[in-house]
Every structure is written in structure tokens, then in C-alpha cells.
Amino acid sequence: MEAAVAVMASEGVDTVFGIPGAAILPLYAALLKSDIKHITVRHEEGGTHAADGWSRATGKVGVCIGTSGPAGTNMITGLYTALADSIPMICITGQAARAKLHQEAFQAVDIVEIAKPVTKWAVQLKEPGQAPWVFREAFRIAQSGRPGPVLIDLPIDVQKGLCRYDAELDAPLPIDVPQPHPARVRAAVELLAGAERPLILAGGGVIIADAAGELRALAEAMNVPVQVTLMGKGAFPENHELFAGMAGIQTQTRWGNQAFLESDVVLAVGARFGDRHTGDLDIYRGDRKFIHVDIEPTQLGKVFEPDLGIVGHARPTLSAMTTAARSLTPQGSSWPSRVASLRGSLARRDDFDDVPIKPPRVYREINEHYGEDTTFVTAIGLYQIWSGQFQHTYLPRRYLVCGQAGPLGWEVPAALGVKCAFPSRRVVAVAGDYSFQFLMEEIAVAAQYNIPFVIVMVNNEYLGLIRQAELPYDMNYAVDLHYGEGGIDHVKLMEAFGCAARRVEQPGDIRAALAWADDESERTSLPVLVEIMVEREANAAMGASLDAVKEFEPVPELAPAGD
């Protein structure tokens, strides 16, 4: 186990999240002798989400540790989340002694078989001599190709064993960076250059590859507007003149959908064409051509067959495309100005003064109060959809969201992990009331270890997204969380953890509450909550296809294509 801990340290792990138990104590004995900091969480799922947040913020492999039995099964949701969003993470579980595995020993479960569908690799350490090699391979697999999680199961008798290990002779295994085929790069650039209305679609893979600079260089070299997916928010600055919004059927901008519908060629980089992005595929595909760049070959053609596929790491692929583009004669185009006109004419209102507070007003205040370097963390629900529609993002790894799996409760432990990675960075978790309640026990962890961040709760006292989804069924069933004077008193709840909180019911009070929370969190080194009570049955704009998004608030009319 000392060898395993030395491997973790050399791979850049400085903080791990976990809960000790009898079957994992030999590993903890080795951790005690190391410089790695251990954060004791309150639930193993919370530990996985904290390691996930740490990984998303740093780009390195996050680590979560638990004992045998239910510790591992509690990690499954976190493993699934990391796999779905391509996040490199290692979960380590204790296990009964090898001789007891077939005898239904206490807390002995076949976690390897359970974890296989939600990991890139799930393995049980069989011999002490394999320890440094299995851990090295786990880090290599987690980071290679499309990144993802690994589970390592450690029988306690193996943990107690000895192995030969010399840290001075050891180093991380090499990570492949697939280079694109030059002919395909040239074909892609020519297809983009020959288009009248091209778009670049930046997915989460651009951020994972640390390729935001290369993306911007290509867009500027070819004068091509750039859209982002929800996972790609931050890959391209939203105040750039070539920013083209976000297309989708839930998290989207009106002008982003219209720009996409008017496009004729789309270069998608590190995007998986998720169903909440595409909606109806016939409308999404239309008559436009698609170029799909991905590091994982089997992603190409998974949702629909592109006109041109390129296998390659996003950074060298975008760099090669920029080099090829600079050899072409620039063509003048009115397309970027058309996209700009859509941005100016198809915005949604966010300046409401209504009471109860309309949710878009919350995000207006967030945008105006927080700086570009703030890291936002959000999970799943109407509040996430409003966040995707209204929140502005300018830098990579500053907008973290669990995109595909969508586990409720993700934002608080993930924010904790981000703050552990970057103690000096301002971190804000945007949460719904129901999601907050899923893993609110992790507030105690932040309080115990003096990990400060701000939580902005958008509270409608509903399972809001499901309430809206029930509208076509003509029902409002099993989704109402209101009781008594307003359900859970989240202010008192935070005070029970030793933390401060404030409830806001007037739109004009939001900004002052955010400023107070920033100051209070910094002063106390604790998490602080701003609970904003919003219109209970407000709906988010969404629909079945890009051309059929239903708006629930008055919006400007579409500008004619010639304007």
C-alpha cells in the first residue's frame, strides 16, 4: 500500500476523498505516512462527486476511497457520472480476504462485476507484487483516449502484503495523444472554407483536451462562429464576437438554435450529440453537412453518420486545421454578422422585477456580480436549464455540470472538490432545493475542514423539471415539496452545520445577498447559502426539436435573414 500511495502522489494526487473502514485500513496506514491530504466525507457517493469536481477543475485524476461492501455500491452513481462525462477518476475499495470471498463474509460483495458497466476498467488486486503496476495502469487507462473512471478492489490480505518498489526508478506510464490523419484535416478545412454558413460546435472534449486556445485560433483564422454544448461551456468566451450561442432543446439560447438551423456545415469537436442537444434528429441534421472530430473512434457514427469523421486528440487536430486554414485564401462572408444580428434580436428577458422572483432574474444577478474567473458548479433540474440558457461563461473549467448522468446532489460535493483543488479560487454552487437535500450532509465536511464556497439555491419548493414534464399528462402529482410555512428551513439547516445563510424574496435584494455571502464565506472559511425563493410554477423554455422550443415568457420576434 505504501507503493500504491507513492504512485498516486507521483501522478499528481494531493487530495483524496473517502471514508475509512476495517477492510481498507492498511491503505489508510500508508496514507498517514504520505503528504496526501485526506478529506473524510459523509457518504461515499459524495466522495466520488468531490473527486469528480477535483478532477474537472484540475484535469488530473481524482481519487475516492471506501471500505468493502456498501461503500463500493454507494460509489456506483459517481462512477456512472464520471464515465458519462469522460472524467478521469479512480475509486478504491477495501475487500474481504481472498480466502473468504466465496463464503459470504461480512461486507464482501463482488464490486468488480457490479462496477464493470460504469467504468473503463474494474479490477481486483490479486497479488501484492501487482500493486504498483495495477495502480500505474489505472492512471493510464483513466486518462487515455476518452477519459473515464477505474475501480480498484483491494482484499485486505493483499493490502497487508509486501512488494518491491523503488520510487526513483518509477514514473507515470505514457498517455497516447492520437494525431489526426492529414488528408482528413485538409478535407475538413476545405469543407468549412467552402461553406456559406459554417459553425464550429465545441463539446466537452475541447475542455478535457485543454484545447480552448487552439479552438479560438481556428475560429479566428477562418472567421467561423463557434457554438458550445452544455459540457463545452467555457471552451470559447461568450463575449467574443464569433460566439454563436448554444443549440439544444433544453439548455439553449434562442439565437443559438436559429443560427444552427441556418447553418450549412457543422464542425463538431469532442461532442457526443446528446439527445438534449440534438432533439429530433431529422430537424437537427436537416440538409447540413457534419464533420465530427473525436478521440474515441467508436463515437463516430454512434448517433448519426457524419459526412466526414476524424479520429484525433482535439488539441493537435484543431492546431493542424488552423495551419491548413492559413494556407487558404480568406473569403469574405456576411455570416458572422448575421449571427451577431440574431444575438441582438433573439435574446430572452432576464430583467424581471416580479415578486415572486422570476428565475431568469437570478442568473442576471449572478452574471453581473461574479467575475470571469469564478468557477460555477451545477447539477440537474430546471435551475440547471435556466443556468445553461442565461449564465455567461468565459474560461474553460469554470462551468462544471454533470451533463449526461444528471445525479441530484452533485453540486455541493463537487464544489467542495473544486475548492480543495484551488483554495484561492471563488467557487459558487448553483443548486435547486431538492438537489441540495440529496447530499446536504456534505456541508458538514466543508464546515469541518474550513472549505469556503457560496451556494445559490433556486428554491421553487418543487421537483420543478418533473412538474413541467407532467404538463402534457395534465397532472401535478408527487412533485410538490411545500409544507408548513415553506418546507425545510434551509437557513436553520445551514446554521445547524455551523454555517451562515440568508433567504431572499425580493429581486432587488439578490445582489446584496450575493455580496454578503462572498464576504461571510471568506471571513468564516465556511460554506454560505443564499436561498432565493422564486416563482413556484415557472417553466423553462424547451421543446422536442430545435425549431419547436416553447417559450413561456414574451420574446422578441425573429429578425429576417437579410437583416
Side-chain angles (χ1 to χ4, degrees):
M1 291 301 94
E2 291 176 1
V5 169
V7 168
M8 286 191 278
S10 72
E11 293 279 359
V13 176
D14 58 23
T15 305
V16 298
F17 306 87
I19 302 175
I24 195 67
L25 290 182
L27 176 61
Y28 271 81
L31 273 174
L32 181 61
K33 300 175 184 178
S34 77
D35 293 328
I36 295 176
K37 183 177 182 179
H38 180 274
I39 302 293
T40 302
V41 296
R42 297 301 187 267
H43 191 286
E44 288 88 1
E45 182 185 341
T48 61
H49 296 331
D52 180 343
W54 187 94
S55 177
R56 292 182 198 235
T58 63
K60 297 185 290 188
V61 181
V63 175
C64 176
I65 303 174
T67 189
S68 58
T73 56
N74 283 345
M75 292 177 179
I76 295 301
T77 298
L79 287 166
Y80 165 41
T81 304
L83 183 71
D85 288 349
S86 306
I87 305 303
M89 182 172 73
I90 293 176
C91 285
I92 303 169
T93 53
Q95 183 59 276
R98 287 170 292 180
K100 294 290 185 181
L101 292 180
H102 66 291
Q103 295 178 346
E104 300 184 8
F106 177 68
Q107 290 189 338
V109 67
D110 193 346
I111 192 63
V112 169
E113 287 299 316
I114 292 172
K116 279 182 178 179
V118 291
T119 56
K120 290 185 70 179
W121 187 40
V123 60
Q124 186 178 89
L125 193 64
K126 301 293 188 183
E127 298 293 339
Q130 290 183 299
W133 306 105
V134 166
F135 272 79
R136 282 293 183 207
E137 178 68 350
F139 277 91
R140 187 193 70 79
I141 289 175
Q143 299 172 90
S144 294
R146 182 181 179 182
V150 170
L151 179 131
I152 304 175
D153 191 39
L154 303 176
I156 191 168
D157 56 323
V158 179
Q159 291 179 62
K160 292 177 178 178
L162 299 175
C163 71
R164 293 185 177 90
Y165 182 73
D166 186 342
E168 294 184 1
L169 299 179
D170 195 22
L173 299 176
I175 307 297
D176 289 338
V177 180
Q179 304 294 311
H181 191 284
R184 289 183 176 267
V185 168
R186 185 73 185 183
V189 170
E190 290 175 352
L191 191 55
L192 272 181
E196 293 183 5
R197 300 175 301 281
L199 280 178
I200 300 174
L201 176 65
V206 174
I207 293 174
I208 292 169
D210 293 322
E214 287 76 7
L215 170 68
R216 182 168 178 170
L218 176 62
E220 292 176 347
M222 299 194 71
N223 198 32
V224 175
V226 178
Q227 292 199 341
V228 295
T229 66
L230 180 63
M231 295 299 298
K233 271 181 74 71
F236 197 80
E238 295 187 17
N239 55 358
H240 194 286
E241 62 183 4
L242 288 174
F243 181 62
M246 179 190 293
I249 60 170
Q250 290 189 352
T251 51
Q252 30 71 17
T253 56
R254 290 185 72 221
W255 58 285
N257 272 0
Q258 186 60 34
F260 191 94
L261 290 169
E262 293 184 17
S263 69
D264 58 359
V265 173
V266 176
L267 167 65
V269 184
R272 58 182 179 82
F273 298 117
D275 53 353
R276 291 205 308 166
H277 166 65
T278 63
D280 185 304
L281 279 175
D282 289 337
I283 299 298
Y284 184 84
R285 296 180 69 183
D287 294 326
R288 61 192 58 86
K289 295 183 182 298
F290 286 87
I291 307 161
H292 191 186
V293 177
D294 205 282
I295 197 170
E296 170 54 50
T298 61
Q299 286 295 106
L300 304 181
K302 178 177 281 189
V303 177
F304 61 85
E305 187 174 11
D307 296 272
L308 177 64
I310 302 176
V311 175
H313 190 283
R315 194 166 61 247
T317 301
L318 289 167
S319 181
M321 292 183 72
T322 302
T323 300
R326 287 173 176 158
S327 67
L328 300 175
T329 303
Q331 301 290 322
S333 172
S334 61
W335 172 235
S337 62
R338 168 59 178 169
V339 172
S341 74
L342 292 173
R343 183 175 192 169
S345 63
L346 291 183
R348 293 187 176 103
R349 281 191 63 192
D350 61 5
D351 59 348
F352 301 100
D353 291 325
D354 304 57
V355 179
I357 299 168
K358 285 189 177 290
R361 175 65 182 269
V362 177
Y363 299 95
R364 177 188 180 94
E365 299 294 339
I366 288 173
N367 287 332
E368 294 182 355
H369 176 73
Y370 287 107
E372 295 183 3
D373 196 45
T374 304
T375 299
F376 290 96
V377 181
T378 192
I380 179 67
L382 283 181
Y383 65 95
Q384 178 226 56
I385 295 170
W386 283 313
S387 172
Q389 293 176 353
F390 290 99
Q391 249 184 285
H392 300 160
T393 311
Y394 306 95
L395 298 169
R397 300 189 188 278
R398 299 304 192 283
Y399 186 88
L400 309 181
V401 56
C402 48
Q404 185 190 21
L408 288 164
W410 186 82
E411 53 271 278
V412 168
L416 186 154
V418 174
K419 193 67 177 181
C420 285
F422 294 101
S424 62
R425 186 180 294 180
R426 178 165 288 173
V427 178
V428 179
V430 180
D433 51 311
Y434 196 56
S435 184
F436 175 84
Q437 293 166 22
F438 259 62
L439 287 168
M440 59 188 177
E441 68 272 13
E442 302 305 329
I443 294 292
V445 181
Q448 177 183 350
Y449 291 95
N450 294 115
I451 302 171
F453 55 91
V454 172
I455 305 163
V456 178
M457 179 189 293
V458 182
N459 188 353
N460 57 9
E461 299 180 79
Y462 260 118
L463 279 66
L465 180 56
I466 307 308
R467 180 202 57 76
Q468 184 170 340
E470 288 185 353
L471 293 177
Y473 297 89
D474 193 27
M475 67 181 187
N476 185 318
Y477 180 63
V479 293
D480 192 349
L481 304 179
H482 178 87
Y483 64 91
E485 295 298 318
I488 290 177
D489 187 332
H490 294 101
V491 173
K492 288 184 178 178
L493 179 72
M494 290 293 290
E495 291 172 351
F497 285 120
C499 304
R502 180 178 291 182
R503 174 175 283 189
V504 176
E505 297 180 340
Q506 299 288 329
D509 295 339
I510 297 174
R511 188 77 59 87
L514 295 177
W516 165 81
D518 292 340
D519 293 342
E520 187 70 9
S521 181
E522 184 175 350
R523 183 184 70 81
T524 62
S525 292
L526 295 170
V528 172
L529 170 70
V530 176
E531 179 185 28
I532 304 175
M533 307 304 292
V534 299
E535 181 183 356
R536 292 204 64 213
E537 296 191 0
N539 296 310
M542 62 181 79
S545 64
L546 300 190
D547 64 347
V549 171
K550 182 177 180 180
E551 301 287 341
F552 291 88
E553 300 289 348
V555 291
E557 294 297 321
L558 170 64
D563 291 358

